[in-house]
Amino acid sequence: MSKTIFVLNGPNLNMLGKREPGIYGGKTLADIEADCKVAGAELGLTIDFRQSNHEGDLVSWLHEAADKAVGVAINAGAYTHTSVALHDAIRAISPIPVIEVHISNVHAREEFRHKSMIAPACKGVICGFGPQSYILALQALKTITQ
Ligand code: DQA
């Protein structure tokens, strides 16, 4: 049976394609979802792909992942840098592995993006590879959940 991975996206990621294309590229979130589903099929993973601009939705979806998924890739957007609630939710669903994902290299940007509230609770972090960061996270989740 195919394993389910939740791919969760936080605030403003619904604006990809229009939003700062010099930083985030021209792909829309729907394009990234389609790429994740193709990669997931190749890896034998079922991809449940979601986006919300609301922190509480992301918290609830992490809780839901504990029952329905073997792993999570999360691009928490700006909540990465602020959210104790997401840190706690990721710890609460341990041992489900959660990988922090970013399209841009947050360490090469403004100083306020250098701090991640969620990274200490995550299995690992992938950033800076454009939309390919999502695919790398799926490959990592496939490997660590075998
Ligand atoms: C982002 C980086 C965050 O700092 C930013 O707030 C985003 C997108 C990325 O994918 O590069 O919304 O998570």
Side-chain angles (χ1 to χ4, degrees):
M1 212 183 84
S2 174
K3 294 171 177 173
T4 297
I5 300 289
F6 276 19
V7 180
L8 304 181
N9 294 278
N12 300 305
L13 291 164
N14 56 309
M15 299 298 286
L16 288 176
K18 297 182 208 140
R19 176 191 182 197
E20 300 187 87
I23 295 174
Y24 298 113
K27 281 196 176 185
T28 65
L29 196 62
D31 294 333
I32 293 174
E33 178 174 4
D35 291 348
C36 284
K37 290 195 167 155
V38 169
E42 285 166 8
L43 293 165
L45 302 171
T46 300
I47 306 301
D48 190 328
F49 194 99
R50 306 179 186 189
Q51 188 275 333
S52 176
N53 293 319
H54 304 280
E55 189 175 13
D57 287 341
L58 297 166
V59 170
S60 297
W61 290 342
L62 283 163
H63 297 171
E64 190 183 333
D67 296 325
K68 298 190 181 159
V70 297
V72 178
I74 184 167
N75 184 348
Y79 289 140
T80 304
H81 314 297
T82 62
S83 180
V84 176
L86 286 179
H87 173 110
D88 287 349
I90 293 165
R91 289 177 67 98
I93 65 166
S94 176
I96 304 280
V98 179
I99 297 185
E100 176 183 335
V101 174
H102 300 287
I103 295 167
S104 64
N105 178 356
V106 287
H107 301 288
R109 300 182 61 195
E110 304 96 320
E111 197 158 345
F112 66 84
R113 295 184 205 277
H114 298 180
K115 171 80 182 165
S116 169
M117 293 300 292
I118 66 171
C122 286
K123 182 79 180 167
V125 180
I126 298 172
C127 76
F129 297 93
Q132 187 70 13
S133 293
Y134 287 80
I135 308 303
L136 294 170
L138 295 180
Q139 290 170 345
L141 285 165
K142 168 73 179 178
T143 303
I144 65 178
T145 60
Q146 328 248 21

